Amino acid sequence: MVVSGSSPLTSKRRRVTNFCSTDMDAETAKAKLAAVKERFGREIHVFETSVLSSSSKAALSNGEETDDFYEFTAEDYYRLLATKKEDKFLKTRKLREAEEAARRSRITKAVIRIRFPDNHTLEATFHPSETIQSLIDLLTKVIAQPEQPFYIYTTPPKKVINDMSLDFYTAGFCPGAIVYFSYNVPKGDSTVGDHTSPYLQEDILSLKDLHIAIDQGQQSEPVVQPDPEPTVAAHPPPVEERKPTEKKVVKPKWLKM
């Protein structure tokens, strides 16, 4: 019998120790995001825009929505146009309203990404029935210079969003959309900081890439496998000795007489 000299408890502890740092980072990130959610009443994440464009495949593998999720494509337009034509000629008003209500009930959130000129992206989750004014209120709380006038717009083509009373569903921002931020100042006005200064407050910028730490913590959770049982050398089964068979001698008939 061969038994390992190291204790099973010691070997398990050695495997778990390698993941302590990652687990602590993930727990810290979760606590920080939870505190921000309690403060603002919604989930908030901060990304580096350049990182998003270079890691769309990684984001997709992690279950995150890529930029294509937020873009309104030509295919979406023609599908929507065809649906409207079908509704107009083949369906009654009550039936259209019922189907629209059913579609709306299936959408439970609007994930809005606000891109800033300094390549940072703020992501916030809203309810589809909330108005765009709620997004403006959030931006006022997180930007570095809330006293300065600003506006948001979509592109392409560039369209400034002026009606703040629209809800996200009616505005076409469900299940997600990308909008752009800009200070509304005349050209040559130096009252607003230069383009190199951050657009978001420091405590909001500190949220950047916390979701990555959480994902790494989840992917690197230790899987403790039981130590193998000590092996015992197996002995071959005994081999039976075969006795030689006696040969029967047949006498000729003339000898029997």
Side-chain angles (χ1 to χ4, degrees):
M1 179 183 296
V2 181
V3 181
S4 174
S6 62
S7 169
L9 181 60
T10 304
S11 60
K12 291 180 181 179
R13 187 181 298 112
R14 188 181 303 115
R15 288 194 294 269
V16 174
T17 304
N18 296 331
F19 300 94
C20 287
S21 177
T22 304
D23 291 342
M24 289 178 62
D25 293 340
E27 291 301 322
T28 302
K30 287 180 181 179
K32 201 167 185 178
L33 290 175
V36 170
K37 183 177 180 180
E38 183 177 358
R39 174 183 170 188
F40 296 103
R42 63 187 75 256
E43 295 181 8
I44 292 178
H45 300 280
V46 179
F47 311 95
E48 190 82 34
T49 304
S50 57
V51 174
L52 285 176
S53 60
S54 62
S55 60
S56 58
K57 292 183 179 180
L60 185 60
S61 64
N62 291 333
E64 300 176 14
E65 294 85 358
T66 61
D67 288 352
D68 295 339
F69 173 79
Y70 302 89
E71 297 294 345
F72 189 77
T73 63
E75 182 182 354
D76 296 328
Y77 171 77
Y78 287 114
R79 184 168 59 248
L80 181 61
L81 187 62
T83 302
K84 288 184 176 181
K85 288 182 178 179
E86 181 184 2
D87 289 345
K88 183 177 179 181
F89 295 105
L90 301 180
K91 299 179 181 178
T92 64
R93 180 179 178 181
K94 287 187 177 181
L95 183 58
R96 291 198 302 269
E97 291 176 352
E99 291 184 349
E100 178 67 18
R103 281 195 296 267
R104 184 163 187 165
S105 64
R106 288 194 294 266
I107 301 176
T108 59
K109 65 179 181 179
V111 182
I112 309 299
R113 286 182 174 176
I114 307 95
R115 289 189 175 175
F116 293 86
D118 61 353
N119 292 331
H120 282 96
T121 297
L122 176 76
E123 180 183 280
T125 303
F126 298 84
H127 191 273
S129 62
E130 291 186 86
T131 63
I132 298 177
Q133 183 61 46
S134 61
L135 173 59
I136 299 299
D137 295 339
L138 175 64
L139 289 174
T140 304
K141 297 176 182 178
V142 299
I143 59 176
Q145 301 184 58
E147 71 281 357
Q148 297 294 339
F150 64 88
Y151 64 93
I152 56 176
Y153 62 95
T154 56
T155 186
K158 184 176 180 179
K159 180 182 179 181
V160 178
I161 302 173
N162 294 316
D163 191 353
M164 305 304 169
S165 63
L166 286 177
D167 60 68
F168 290 106
Y169 185 87
T170 305
F173 289 174
C174 292
I178 294 177
V179 299
Y180 296 82
F181 175 94
S182 179
Y183 282 117
N184 190 12
V185 293
K187 293 183 179 180
D189 192 342
S190 59
T191 57
V192 181
D194 56 44
H195 297 293
T196 59
S197 60
Y199 282 75
L200 293 169
Q201 299 175 11
E202 290 185 5
D203 58 334
I204 302 300
L205 283 175
S206 66
L207 304 176
K208 183 169 64 174
D209 297 337
L210 287 185
H211 66 290
I212 298 178
I214 296 175
D215 292 340
Q216 290 177 348
Q218 293 175 346
Q219 294 175 2
S220 60
E221 289 182 354
V223 179
V224 180
Q225 298 180 353
D227 291 330
E229 296 292 335
T231 58
V232 180
H235 297 285
V239 180
E240 295 184 3
E241 295 182 0
R242 294 183 179 181
K243 296 181 179 181
T245 57
E246 296 181 358
K247 295 182 179 181
K248 187 175 181 181
V249 179
V250 179
K251 296 182 180 181
K253 292 182 178 181
W254 59 271
L255 290 176
K256 293 179 180 181
M257 296 180 61

